[in-house]
Amino acid sequence: MWCPKPLCPSLSNCLQQRERWSPWGGGGEGHPICSHSNPLLSLPLPPDCCSPVNFLEAEGHQGLVAAVFGILFSSICVLVLDTDPLPFIASSSPRSRGREVPSLYWKIMALLYYPAFYYPLIACATIRHRAGYFVGCLLSWCHCVVHIWQKVDCPQSPKIYRYYSLLSYVPIILCLVVLSIWYPVLLVRSFTQEKPAAREVMHCSFLLDLCYVYSKSQRKYQFPPPLMLVPLLCNSYVPVIGFQVPLKLVLSVTTAVIAVYQVALLLLVVFIPNIQIVRAGMTKEITVLLVQFGVVPSENPAVPVCSLTVCYVCSLVLSCLLTFSMLMRSLVMHRANLKALYRGDVLDVFYRARMLCPSQQALVCWMSFASFQTAFACLGLLTQQVIFFVCTVGFTFLVVIPLQSGTNMHLFKILENMWPFWLTLVLAVVVQNLLAHFHFLEKHHLQKELTNRRALCIMTYLLFPINVLVGVLAGVWRMVISALYNAVHFCQLDISLLNRGVEAFDPGYRTYCHYLKIEVSQSHPVMKAFCFLLLQLSGPEGQTGLKPTDVEEGIQLMQPVKGLLKASKSKQTRARWGLAYTLLNNPSLLACRKTVLSDPTANGTQSCPAKP
Amino acid sequence: MWCPKPLCPSLSNCLQQRERWSPWGGGGEGHPICSHSNPLLSLPLPPDCCSPVNFLEAEGHQGLVAAVFGILFSSICVLVLDTDPLPFIASSSPRSRGREVPSLYWKIMALLYYPAFYYPLIACATIRHRAGYFVGCLLSWCHCVVHIWQKVDCPQSPKIYRYYSLLSYVPIILCLVVLSIWYPVLLVRSFTQEKPAAREVMHCSFLLDLCYVYSKSQRKYQFPPPLMLVPLLCNSYVPVIGFQVPLKLVLSVTTAVIAVYQVALLLLVVFIPNIQIVRAGMTKEITVLLVQFGVVPSENPAVPVCSLTVCYVCSLVLSCLLTFSMLMRSLVMHRANLKALYRGDVLDVFYRARMLCPSQQALVCWMSFASFQTAFACLGLLTQQVIFFVCTVGFTFLVVIPLQSGTNMHLFKILENMWPFWLTLVLAVVVQNLLAHFHFLEKHHLQKELTNRRALCIMTYLLFPINVLVGVLAGVWRMVISALYNAVHFCQLDISLLNRGVEAFDPGYRTYCHYLKIEVSQSHPVMKAFCFLLLQLSGPEGQTGLKPTDVEEGIQLMQPVKGLLKASKSKQTRARWGLAYTLLNNPSLLACRKTVLSDPTANGTQSCPAKP
């Protein structure tokens, strides 16, 4: 349900401010606190948040970082087929032409060069300073103008298909346009922002997260319901108030969507020239030969080529839509899993007890999570395209064309000749169901009981041969459904393609589980809010403007919202009850709480809410 | 562990007697109680156990029933490719020759004819009377002699391969030989058996079953350990004292093994003539052409044909072994699942709460379980053969032959040219692992903590492009491992090939779950023992020879064995404690117990140990 009225008066401002701050549609937007003079205020961002490097830590500029990763990934896609992997080394030089190995070396170099080349585009925003924003503006404008100029100047290329180069650069140019708008906005805002409001926004952000994680009431969507009818019906992802998608997830979904675009584009441009060659090569002699063999209907010999094209495009569109919707459902699963882990329900997510602590393997998986998601989206799309193309071609040539033209009815003839066989199978299944319902079961004290056991034995024995044939059909169905399921869900890392006992052998699922571990252990919302409130208190009180009674507001929010509104008399007593209740329900937090309290110097590093 | 000394003195006799009674190696053998004059003694076999129809209910002659099902299934396998589906209608009659539809009709007729034709072979044993055994002897000898005579008279046939017909009849003849020996043994035993011993065996059988289900100690195997080293190492099925495989499972495994034999035979005889034709057709011109294209090494042009044969046979042997071992592992799973369900652990088996009551769907699935297992074994073997053949051919022609002959080294050249690429990937993975271990993690109060977050961010960003390529390899691995896993485990009905949430859409797994429901609800060992003891008591005491204190011996056995040996003083008190303990741990039994006690007329039908 959409929540037009915020939860409580104190949160009302937060919501309005958060929406005002967020050009990303309320998703995640930076809280420009770092420019404040008090360094303690910058927590739970670590004290080094204003350096240009920790762009994956700071909870700001998600869209900006995602755009840079999009540019980076698109550059690599272009690179794979490019003969000039690096811009300053032309392939037309006689030394490298025709030699594969040097080109491979340059490509490997390019894999390291491009990240470094686009790095300043992120760094300018991570510095969180006016000068950075200004340089960012200049850089993004330069990149954007250069790319657009290049493509306008020379839209065609001889590679594969004349417009392939132009189309493959579209994501890069779009991402650069996003950057070119984002940086000026940041620059202008850095002159006009009000600092106390920023602090307030930060505070409320944590409270909202806590409220989302611990409330059992219905979700409050960020947009009014009519806008989200379609995504909700498709079980797709819809932003919810109080939950920020972690940056790594935003990155992985962005690059995965770009990957889908690039692979689909490649599949399309590889197909078009080939089908044109086939069409051109369909001379009269070959057509006559095909007609004689019954492959092509004699009235319209161009039908098969047209059908092939239609099948190819349809299956490509279907694959893209399916992959995209699976990515969106994946986001829903991520949110549910993160919420469950924040609440301590490890068994609901991993189905067995696990320590939520960083480990070497988990860290490596966390580093490669976005890359794996991207690669899996590519491979999933390819697999789906192959499967759907074969299926649609089979359907077209065995069902549609014969029905239209009336020739080449092999399949129908086989089916027609075998009708007694199909009838027998259907009859056997129907007879067994009817017998089971009316003859072998009798209702007895509200539950069914077996009866007529003799007849059951006889029927089981007599129908055994026919049931074997039914079993063959069921087996074929099992094969088809498992292959289709695995192909469609290939791009989802949050489900394992293997059976229960051996889930961990699936590299995608293993990566996802380890990623979740790191994500939860490093950014638990209770931990964030706790650190923030602790530091607010330890700072000079006049400056922060927070009284000790306000501190436990976050804990109050863990109760259902209705109870909260009534409980305005003895706030502190109830807050302590709430604290006790929370700790009872989440015993894993106890250790962390004590550690943090007894060791206030470890302010940046959050300890691990482990659950043995 | 094998148990050379039985559990307690009273069970010692039981074990010896059970072993004496069982020609099936202790698996399941009939207790010839039905010939006793007191009809109550025949329980928990229903009062109509001596009719010729309920062969699937009575717990006897498992091997005999399995042999008849084997004959039936083999007849159907032979039927599929036969032009004379029915013995008394020759295909040489001019009416049906060349017309497909009548032949199909006859085949469908044969699907119903053969079960009826072989039915007397089961019925003679189910009657449990000397006359029946005598007729069974005559029948099985007749069938056996006719089949052997037929094959000795005319061992070759023009169909597919000259010995195919002979080889495909081997399982039928073997099963008939088993019957021809079994019936005379039954007949002789019916003259020599001692009746009181039979009753004792029956009693002990139930106690052993109870002991197995409720004891938490290690398993007692039926054979000394040296005999079972190989199956135990392969995690295969090994018979255990106290657990009788249900008849339906014995049937399904028997027919599945025969199915594996028949499909493997068919695959082999289809391949041999074709490879002979290829070998004969490899004239000099074709060989020269192939050598020119580099497909065939010039030194020995016959190598590819030989390699193909070797690959085919190897993959066939591998597929058969894998399918067989999966069937054996499946039996282990069946036993574990049945034991868990008998103890009431529904969640351990189905992973969600389920009612263990008969329903229409469950009954239909129970009827078709053995057929599905058989059909899935066929399809699984076919799939594995295709996959393994392609893999071994690829391996042979891309790796083995080039390494031997030194020509056609395409794969090695590609790998050699791409070594910088592979090296980069390996280096990237190693560097990430080393950095994660030594630089990004520090040990802090027994658990690891993240550190150097700036470097972590930078490395994640810089290695993103290379990780995408690593991800592509991981994705290929994910595809390969899920396809292989599904192909290898295809014949196992006890695991679902789909993901957790959608397991029920797998037709095989659904059938298995419903089968388990019926099996557990209709043959719970506590229920059996309870009915048996109750009827022993209600009969004349002198005749049964059981005192009321003996009755609760079964309940005592539910305690661990060690505790049992000490508790010899106040048997009855402890037995009641044991009863209370059992009912506490299995509250689902409460309802059943009361129902049975209050309604002693419903002696045959057991109520359902439902768990809401």
Side-chain angles (χ1 to χ4, degrees), chain A residues 187-250:
Chain A
L187 188 62
V188 170
R189 199 176 277 165
S190 72
F191 285 105
T192 58
Q193 75 187 19
E194 309 123 25
K195 282 162 191 175
R199 223 183 308 142
E200 183 80 357
V201 165
M202 184 99 182
H203 183 197
C204 291
S205 164
F206 294 133
L207 297 187
L208 275 175
D209 288 353
L210 278 181
C211 187
Y212 173 73
V213 168
Y214 288 99
S215 79
K216 282 172 183 165
S217 58
Q218 280 196 294
R219 290 172 187 159
K220 274 81 191 171
Y221 294 117
Q222 284 191 338
F223 306 110
L227 283 181
M228 299 179 312
L229 205 60
V230 176
L232 278 178
L233 285 178
C234 304
N235 198 10
S236 178
Y237 182 75
V238 169
V240 164
I241 291 174
F243 181 80
Q244 287 192 12
V245 185
L247 178 56
K248 263 271 175 181
L249 281 183
V250 174

Side-chain angles (χ1 to χ4, degrees), chain B residues 122-144:
Chain B
I122 295 190
C124 290
T126 325
I127 287 172
R128 292 168 194 272
H129 195 271
R130 275 167 209 164
Y133 298 148
F134 182 69
V135 176
C137 285
L138 293 184
L139 270 179
S140 54
W141 288 342
C142 282
H143 276 291
C144 198

Side-chain angles (χ1 to χ4, degrees), chain B residues 286-577:
Chain B
I286 294 176
T287 312
V288 169
L289 203 71
L290 288 177
V291 168
Q292 279 178 352
F293 276 105
V295 179
V296 171
S298 49
E299 306 88 57
N300 190 358
V303 162
V305 178
C306 296
S307 326
L308 271 184
T309 315
V310 171
C311 289
Y312 194 84
V313 174
C314 283
S315 54
L316 194 56
V317 170
L318 183 62
S319 312
C320 288
L321 285 179
L322 269 179
T323 307
F324 187 72
S325 77
M326 288 304 134
L327 286 174
M328 288 297 108
R329 289 191 62 178
S330 199
L331 266 186
V332 178
M333 287 288 292
H334 293 328
R335 182 170 61 193
N337 286 341
L338 279 175
K339 186 177 168 182
L341 286 179
Y342 288 151
R343 296 167 71 122
D345 303 335
V346 178
L347 286 179
D348 282 5
V349 178
F350 298 132
Y351 308 103
R352 61 195 180 87
R354 270 184 186 244
M355 291 284 282
L356 293 184
C357 281
S359 68
Q360 179 197 334
Q361 214 182 6
L363 207 57
V364 173
C365 288
W366 184 84
M367 287 171 80
S368 51
F369 174 74
S371 321
F372 274 41
Q373 174 71 78
T374 315
F376 284 24
C378 292
L379 283 176
L381 185 68
L382 272 177
T383 323
Q384 283 178 40
Q385 167 66 7
V386 170
I387 292 176
F388 293 148
F389 183 55
V390 169
C391 291
T392 47
V393 165
F395 182 73
T396 311
F397 282 82
L398 291 174
V399 176
V400 178
I401 292 183
L403 274 183
Q404 278 190 338
S405 65
T407 59
N408 206 7
M409 313 270 283
H410 303 311
L411 185 71
F412 291 98
K413 274 179 197 155
I414 292 173
L415 287 181
E416 198 185 335
N417 285 342
M418 295 207 19
W419 72 265
F421 174 71
W422 305 119
L423 188 66
T424 313
L425 296 193
V426 171
L427 270 182
V429 173
V430 169
V431 163
Q432 283 181 75
N433 272 292
L434 288 179
L435 281 176
H437 191 253
F438 292 110
H439 196 60
F440 298 148
L441 286 175
E442 64 175 356
K443 202 140 186 176
H444 185 68
H445 294 312
L446 283 175
Q447 65 189 15
K448 287 176 175 170
E449 281 301 333
L450 263 188
T451 178
N452 291 315
R453 288 164 186 244
R454 292 182 183 194
L456 178 64
C457 277
I458 283 286
M459 286 310 292
T460 307
Y461 174 74
L462 287 182
L463 290 176
F464 172 75
I466 297 177
N467 274 336
V468 171
L469 299 177
V470 176
V472 170
L473 290 188
V476 171
W477 175 238
R478 188 186 208 204
M479 225 178 266
V480 169
I481 201 173
S482 66
L484 265 187
Y485 182 87
N486 284 0
V488 169
H489 292 81
F490 188 83
C491 63
Q492 278 191 277
L493 273 81
D494 53 292
I495 56 174
S496 171
L497 299 187
L498 297 180
N499 187 256
R500 282 174 184 272
V502 288
E503 272 172 345
F505 289 98
D506 182 337
Y509 185 69
R510 207 177 55 96
T511 305
Y512 178 68
C513 289
H514 282 307
Y515 161 76
L516 275 187
K517 270 194 207 172
I518 294 278
E519 197 66 48
V520 172
S521 73
Q522 299 302 313
S523 63
H524 198 289
V526 171
M527 205 60 58
K528 281 192 206 168
F530 186 76
C531 292
F532 179 73
L533 294 175
L534 197 72
L535 289 160
Q536 291 278 61
L537 272 185
S538 66
E541 197 168 319
Q543 199 176 346
T544 56
L546 276 172
K547 290 182 292 292
T549 44
D550 294 346
V551 172
E552 287 180 348
E553 189 181 359
I555 294 153
Q556 271 188 2
L557 283 167
M558 293 165 209
Q559 292 176 343
V561 179
K562 281 179 189 170
L564 178 78
L565 291 175
K566 287 178 197 163
S568 58
K569 284 183 185 173
S570 56
K571 272 193 176 183
Q572 210 162 2
T573 325
R574 280 164 195 264
R576 277 176 192 154
W577 267 107

Side-chain angles (χ1 to χ4, degrees), chain A residues 307-527:
Chain A
S307 323
L308 271 184
T309 315
V310 171
C311 289
Y312 195 85
V313 174
C314 283
S315 54
L316 194 55
V317 170
L318 183 61
S319 312
C320 288
L321 286 179
L322 269 179
T323 308
F324 187 72
S325 77
M326 287 304 135
L327 287 173
M328 288 296 106
R329 289 189 63 177
S330 198
L331 267 185
V332 178
M333 287 288 293
H334 293 328
R335 182 171 60 194
N337 285 340
L338 279 175
K339 186 177 169 182
L341 286 179
Y342 287 152
R343 296 167 72 121
D345 302 335
V346 178
L347 286 179
D348 281 5
V349 178
F350 298 132
Y351 307 104
R352 61 192 181 91
R354 270 183 185 245
M355 292 283 283
L356 292 184
C357 280
S359 69
Q360 179 197 333
Q361 213 182 7
L363 206 57
V364 172
C365 287
W366 184 84
M367 287 170 81
S368 50
F369 175 73
S371 320
F372 273 41
Q373 174 71 79
T374 315
F376 283 24
C378 292
L379 283 177
L381 185 68
L382 272 178
T383 323
Q384 283 178 41
Q385 167 65 8
V386 170
I387 291 175
F388 292 148
F389 183 54
V390 169
C391 290
T392 47
V393 166
F395 183 73
T396 311
F397 282 82
L398 290 175
V399 177
V400 178
I401 293 183
L403 273 183
Q404 277 189 339
S405 66
T407 59
N408 207 6
M409 313 269 282
H410 303 312
L411 186 72
F412 291 98
K413 274 178 199 158
I414 292 172
L415 286 180
E416 199 185 335
N417 285 342
M418 302 238 325
W419 73 263
F421 174 71
W422 304 120
L423 188 66
T424 312
L425 295 192
V426 171
L427 269 183
V429 173
V430 169
V431 162
Q432 283 180 76
N433 273 292
L434 288 180
L435 280 177
H437 191 252
F438 293 109
H439 197 58
F440 298 148
L441 287 176
E442 64 175 356
K443 205 138 186 175
H444 185 68
H445 293 313
L446 283 176
Q447 65 189 14
K448 287 175 177 170
E449 281 301 332
L450 263 189
T451 180
N452 291 316
R453 287 164 188 243
R454 293 182 184 196
L456 178 63
C457 278
I458 285 286
M459 286 311 292
T460 307
Y461 173 74
L462 287 182
L463 290 176
F464 172 75
I466 298 178
N467 274 336
V468 172
L469 299 177
V470 176
V472 171
L473 290 188
V476 171
W477 175 237
R478 189 186 206 203
M479 224 178 264
V480 168
I481 202 173
S482 66
L484 266 186
Y485 182 87
N486 284 1
V488 168
H489 292 82
F490 188 83
C491 62
Q492 278 191 277
L493 274 81
D494 53 293
I495 56 175
S496 171
L497 299 189
L498 297 181
N499 187 256
R500 285 176 181 270
V502 288
E503 273 172 345
F505 289 98
D506 182 336
Y509 185 68
R510 207 178 53 99
T511 305
Y512 177 67
C513 287
H514 283 307
Y515 161 76
L516 275 187
K517 271 194 206 172
I518 294 278
E519 197 66 48
V520 171
S521 72
Q522 299 303 313
S523 62
H524 198 289
V526 171
M527 204 59 58

